[in-house]
Amino acid sequence: MKMPAINIEDLSEKDKLKMEVEQLRKEVKLERQLIIDKEINPFVDKWEEEGQFPAHKVFKTLGQAGFFGVDKPTEYGGMGLDFSYNIALAQELGSIRCGGIPMAIGVQAVMATPALTRFGSDELKKQFLVPTIAGDFVACLGISEAGAGSDVANIKTTAVRKGDEYVINGGKMWTTSGCQADWMCLLANTSEGPRHQNKSLICLPMNLPGIHVAKKIDKLGMRSSDTAQIFFEDVRVPSKNLIGEEGKGFTYQMLQFQEERLWGAATVLTPLETIIQETIDYTRQRKVFDQSVLHNQAVHFRLAELATEVELLRSLLYRTVALYVEGNDVTKFASMTKLKAGRLAREVTDSCLQFWGGMGFTSEVLVSRFYRDLRLMSIGGGTDETMLSIICKYMETLPSKRQ
């Protein structure tokens, strides 16, 4: 039965607005996909071999297309949309045929800039946020250290107030885009107080004397994204570069962790779907003992299980994002989402690689790249074990230190 055509004039203003928004969303998605297909994917193999993509060139293109300002205020060049639109973008980025570039985009969009957006002064936003949204600046996040990964409170880098400046000493590790960054959102100890109350976030220009990019780290995966080890030696930065209040840095960082973890989970959905589909296509045409590999029940049943798990992850992500946009505390659900995303990324890539046989162990197929790249999902932004501890805390099953 043919459905009757919709008469636009019969719709309410609210429904008309919904249709306009949906049409705009489709147009923006198409534009962004064209950028990925034209400006990124043709060069991914080259950038993977070189161990770095040209961040300033790529980010300028992405900035002009609005990749970095989806949920940022319009007065600073953003679109002023809610965080759910950022998640939609993150899923689109999953069509990039590597993990390193979406990760670097995530640092720029949802890791280095949320605290500055929420708590930074107008002057700081104009100096750092505006050019970052536009793609003129490359940003990095200075949180992790050699002895403080998931345990953020254990960082040792200091920023000592002297007059109108902070003097910074210490170092940061595993800094995404650190070799190319124009500025860093730096977490440092600004007092001797309790470790959850003595930290501050500072906008740190990366061209200041005393900043040393020690090396570009050679990694198992995410090879097209440069990752730096950085040292600070008596680096002087104006005290006005402080984001928000002194001593609130740990709290600000914990707030943005929820967005980071949801973004990370969203970026794995499309790659996992792609890997499953490419594995279906390959095993359908690959013959073993005169029949296709896909014909084996163990193979097509396993792929069905994995596809089901991906959809369950999607549902958990969407529920958590909806709660977050409504203003709820989603720490538990965000931790569950990230935990599941990391576990599933390992499960899907490992199972699918097995079905590719010897080809899966080469660098010629996408499944082997994502096998390496997506392994980081269980480590970066808080390990699986950290997520489990957070979940247990909310379930009130985590043993107290007194026990």
Side-chain angles (χ1 to χ4, degrees):
M1 175 175 151
K2 186 177 180 182
M3 296 295 292
I6 296 175
N7 187 345
I8 300 296
E9 299 302 322
D10 294 337
L11 296 175
S12 67
E13 290 301 317
K14 184 177 181 180
D15 288 335
K16 288 180 183 179
L17 179 60
K18 283 183 178 179
M19 288 188 67
E20 291 174 3
V21 170
E22 180 62 19
Q23 181 60 33
L24 177 61
R25 186 190 68 80
K26 290 179 179 179
E27 291 174 1
V28 170
K29 181 176 181 179
L30 178 60
E31 177 191 5
R32 287 172 173 164
Q33 192 57 55
L34 288 172
I35 290 173
I36 290 171
D37 290 342
K38 181 181 178 181
E39 304 291 340
I40 297 178
N41 276 339
F43 310 102
V44 164
D45 290 345
K46 176 176 179 286
W47 295 336
E48 285 279 303
E49 291 178 6
E50 295 174 348
Q52 184 170 297
F53 76 98
H56 284 92
K57 178 182 178 181
V58 173
F59 279 11
K60 183 58 182 176
T61 300
L62 299 183
Q64 290 174 337
F67 278 67
F68 302 124
V70 173
D71 62 343
K72 302 298 189 293
T74 55
E75 59 265 37
Y76 298 105
M79 297 181 181
L81 301 172
D82 67 55
F83 183 70
S84 66
Y85 289 87
N86 243 341
I87 292 300
L89 171 61
Q91 292 178 81
E92 291 174 32
L93 294 176
S95 61
I96 295 175
R97 294 180 72 82
C98 70
I101 297 172
M103 178 179 66
I105 294 171
V107 169
Q108 185 98 344
V110 300
M111 300 179 203
T113 50
L116 174 59
T117 303
R118 291 190 183 102
F119 306 109
S121 66
D122 181 64
E123 181 181 354
L124 275 185
K125 290 175 186 176
K126 289 178 179 177
Q127 183 179 353
F128 294 100
L129 183 61
V130 170
T132 301
I133 291 173
D136 294 322
F137 278 5
V138 174
C140 66
L141 184 64
I143 305 295
S144 295
E145 299 178 6
S150 293
D151 185 9
V152 175
N154 196 42
I155 65 165
K156 306 301 182 187
T157 297
T158 60
V160 179
R161 184 75 176 263
K162 292 188 177 180
D164 293 331
E165 295 179 317
Y166 285 106
V167 180
I168 301 167
N169 284 280
K172 294 296 174 179
M173 189 70 167
W174 307 300
T175 306
T176 298
S177 301
C179 297
Q180 303 182 74
D182 297 288
W183 71 280
M184 171 187 286
C185 180
L186 172 75
L187 184 70
N189 297 313
T190 48
S191 74
E192 297 291 338
R195 65 184 205 147
H196 294 103
Q197 301 171 27
N198 71 335
K199 294 168 175 56
S200 303
L201 286 173
I202 298 170
C203 290
L204 178 67
M206 291 294 287
N207 61 353
L208 296 176
I211 297 178
H212 308 287
V213 178
K215 66 176 180 179
K216 180 169 70 175
I217 299 170
D218 187 16
K219 310 184 299 296
L220 170 69
M222 303 291 194
R223 301 191 68 84
S224 55
S225 174
D226 64 278
T227 306
Q229 181 179 20
I230 301 172
F231 293 109
F232 311 113
E233 184 179 358
D234 292 332
V235 179
R236 293 181 174 272
V237 62
S239 57
K240 65 181 181 179
N241 283 27
L242 175 72
I243 297 174
E245 297 179 43
E246 189 170 281
K248 292 292 184 68
F250 183 85
T251 300
Y252 297 161
Q253 184 59 32
M254 291 303 103
L255 285 173
Q256 74 90 23
F257 260 145
Q258 309 317 318
E259 295 188 1
E260 174 183 342
R261 289 163 182 168
L262 293 173
W263 168 281
T267 61
V268 306
L269 286 172
T270 302
L272 295 184
E273 289 179 303
T274 300
I275 290 167
I276 290 172
Q277 186 57 54
E278 290 197 2
T279 301
I280 290 171
D281 296 339
Y282 180 72
T283 54
R284 176 176 281 124
Q285 58 86 24
R286 182 187 174 205
K287 302 286 186 175
V288 175
F289 303 120
D290 297 324
Q291 69 176 15
S292 72
V293 172
L294 185 62
H295 184 78
N296 289 278
Q297 187 181 81
V299 177
H300 55 252
F301 272 18
R302 181 59 175 151
L303 292 171
E305 289 175 342
L306 295 174
T308 302
E309 290 293 318
V310 171
E311 291 308 316
L312 289 171
L313 172 61
R314 191 193 312 277
S315 295
L316 176 59
L317 172 68
Y318 287 179
R319 181 192 180 195
T320 305
V321 171
L323 290 170
Y324 181 69
V325 170
E326 291 172 359
N328 296 288
D329 177 8
V330 297
T331 305
K332 181 176 77 170
F333 285 143
S335 301
M336 288 177 169
T337 304
K338 182 180 182 302
L339 173 68
K340 185 61 179 178
R343 294 278 176 87
L344 189 57
R346 294 153 70 179
E347 189 177 0
V348 170
T349 56
D350 184 68
S351 293
C352 288
L353 188 148
Q354 183 70 20
F355 297 148
W356 284 74
M359 281 302 298
F361 202 65
T362 71
S363 297
E364 298 178 24
V365 293
L366 187 64
V367 65
S368 66
R369 178 178 293 166
F370 279 131
Y371 178 83
R372 294 180 287 106
D373 285 359
L374 300 188
R375 184 61 180 82
L376 183 62
M377 189 65 203
S378 284
I379 301 171
T383 62
D384 282 3
E385 293 74 21
T386 302
M387 297 303 100
L388 287 166
S389 293
I390 294 171
I391 296 165
C392 287
K393 180 180 178 181
Y394 275 80
M395 293 175 64
E396 298 182 350
T397 60
L398 191 67
S400 68
K401 294 180 179 180
R402 295 179 181 180
Q403 291 179 320

